Amino acid sequence: MKKVSVLMMASLLGLTLIASACSSGQAGTGAGTGAGTGAGTENQPPGASGETPAINVAYMPDMHGATPIVIGEEKGFFEEAGIKVNAVKFLSGPPEFQAMASGDIDIAYIGPGATFLAAQGQGKIITVDSLNTGDAVLTRADSGIDSWADLKGKTVGVPKGTSGEMILNLGLKSASLKPEDVNIMNMDVAGAVSAFVSKKVDAVAIWSPYTAEIEKQVGKENIKVLGNNETFFPDYVFPQSWVVRPAFLEEHPDLVEKFLSAFSKANDYRIANLEEAVKLTSEFTQVPEDSLSMQIETTQWLTTEEMVKHFEDNTVYTWFESLESLFVDNGKMTEVVPAEQFVSKDTFLNAVKK
């Protein structure tokens, strides 16, 4: 398989960050194979030397955040668009936004939990990757916890700032409870799994594929799902997105459109060839195929044609503004910002219609 070039970002690797969902909380880790053209694109404009312009892209090692990059390279979609991609591995949204702020990253994949950073003006959403249905709040079948209301006074393990926490907060709200009515223990994803398996917490708010890992260790028959993303559809939808740093979009709109053109082709190929997509992604990320396959069942995939429709009728705006209301509830935002301020609708539509 062709290798996507990867930047080594030592300054980011030294950061110790809370691990969390594919949506927003795991620590960024350095990339693995090869070297790109170097970070700091503000000082060296893409393609300035007459070479094919390169875009520094942050990915996450899963079927959402890595597969379009892998397929785009493997099937020649980036080459066809006239760009190169330097892929940098991260496990969370916040450090990606830090890297964009410093100019080291141009475009990044994020999950629902990091959307508030884009809404705060730190990035422009340029397309929706897919809709997440893999977050869940789990308890044990013999715990006596049969409803959201039964969580009052109980201990719940959750990586804070993630889409898992968002599901927990929605469930508590539906039972007229507040987060302070529950003993919430902030822990990284590995700690949350371990704490649940060892019965150190009464419940856990987590996501796929870690929900499957818990099932494997505890037994599916011994677990009760209090709720997941689909519990709150259609009032709340959880889009996973690709964002661009605002300065890069302003300076290089043509390159962003070229990336989106290649992404759209890679996305449609992914949906039509999921088995192959799992294999290619596993080879690149070194994540086992069975773990990646689990994400297929916890994702609502969107073809380019479907995304065009959702952008044109402003459904995408509704998705993000509903997410913002959750960020207001948990104190990450003070008000809901009109989605048109941080979603670059025209950039996406221009790219896929050319």
Side-chain angles (χ1 to χ4, degrees):
M1 184 181 71
K2 294 180 183 177
K3 295 293 184 181
V4 181
S5 57
V6 185
L7 294 175
M8 298 301 294
M9 300 183 63
S11 61
L12 291 177
L13 303 189
L15 295 176
T16 301
L17 296 160
I18 297 173
S20 75
C22 59
S23 42
S24 85
Q26 289 187 314
T29 65
T33 60
T37 58
T41 57
E42 291 178 331
N43 297 325
Q44 182 70 26
S49 63
E51 299 178 353
T52 301
I55 302 175
N56 299 329
V57 178
Y59 76 94
M60 295 189 193
D62 57 37
M63 288 298 292
H64 314 122
T67 307
I69 302 302
V70 176
I71 291 176
E73 180 71 15
E74 179 69 15
K75 303 303 176 182
F77 297 140
F78 292 129
E79 183 179 3
E80 183 182 309
I83 57 173
K84 292 180 181 178
V85 164
N86 296 324
V88 187
K89 178 181 173 182
F90 286 79
L91 297 178
S92 71
E96 290 177 323
F97 279 94
Q98 293 171 13
M100 284 195 287
S102 67
D104 291 322
I105 289 295
D106 305 315
I107 293 174
Y109 163 85
I110 63 169
T115 302
F116 76 97
L117 294 166
Q120 290 175 346
Q122 298 183 45
K124 289 274 191 180
I125 292 173
I126 50 176
T127 190
V128 173
D129 182 273
S130 50
L131 303 181
N132 185 29
T133 62
D135 302 295
V137 176
L138 308 180
T139 187
R140 289 178 176 269
D142 60 359
S143 66
I145 300 173
D146 298 315
S147 67
W148 294 109
D150 294 332
L151 286 176
K152 186 173 183 178
K154 301 295 185 180
T155 300
V156 183
V158 56
K160 285 201 167 185
T162 69
S163 49
E165 184 187 25
M166 294 165 75
I167 297 299
L168 174 63
N169 288 341
L170 278 172
L172 295 176
K173 185 177 180 180
S174 71
S176 299
L177 295 176
K178 298 179 180 179
E180 50 264 37
D181 294 324
V182 179
N183 179 24
I184 294 178
M185 293 185 65
N186 183 23
M187 51 185 62
D188 64 28
V189 61
V193 171
S194 175
F196 187 83
V197 170
S198 61
K199 297 186 177 182
K200 293 181 180 178
V201 295
D202 301 301
V204 66
I206 209 162
W207 53 91
S208 176
Y210 306 105
T211 48
E213 179 61 28
I214 288 175
E215 288 181 2
K216 188 184 302 182
Q217 294 193 44
V218 177
K220 189 173 183 178
E221 69 280 4
N222 297 317
I223 295 172
K224 179 176 295 182
V225 179
L226 284 183
N228 58 22
N229 304 77
E230 293 179 295
T231 304
F232 304 100
F233 281 5
D235 293 334
Y236 297 97
V237 177
F238 298 82
Q240 298 162 142
S241 315
W242 291 84
V243 299
V244 62
R245 61 183 174 94
F248 188 81
L249 177 59
E250 183 177 345
E251 296 164 10
H252 307 288
D254 57 325
L255 296 185
V256 177
E257 289 187 10
K258 288 179 179 181
F259 174 84
L260 285 171
S261 175
F263 163 82
S264 297
K265 293 175 182 178
N267 173 57
D268 287 341
Y269 189 94
R270 167 178 57 182
I271 295 170
N273 303 274
L274 285 170
E275 186 175 337
E276 181 186 359
V278 167
K279 180 177 175 59
L280 292 174
T281 305
S282 178
E283 290 175 1
F284 175 67
T285 64
Q286 298 302 298
V287 175
E289 289 185 28
D290 58 349
S291 294
L292 294 172
S293 294
M294 291 173 188
Q295 293 187 309
I296 293 175
E297 303 303 320
T298 57
T299 302
Q300 184 175 328
W301 304 102
L302 299 170
T303 65
T304 299
E305 182 180 356
E306 290 171 322
M307 282 195 279
V308 167
K309 177 180 179 297
H310 292 320
F311 270 92
E312 287 182 333
D313 66 10
N314 294 333
T315 296
V316 169
Y317 288 169
T318 302
W319 290 344
F320 287 116
E321 287 173 3
S322 70
L323 273 188
E324 286 186 83
S325 69
L326 299 183
F327 296 132
V328 171
D329 287 345
N330 65 23
K332 285 186 171 62
M333 297 181 65
T334 57
E335 61 180 353
V336 173
V337 177
E340 61 188 27
Q341 293 185 18
F342 62 90
V343 177
S344 190
K345 168 180 171 178
D346 291 342
T347 301
F348 173 76
L349 292 176
N350 288 341
V352 299
K353 289 184 174 182
K354 281 185 177 178

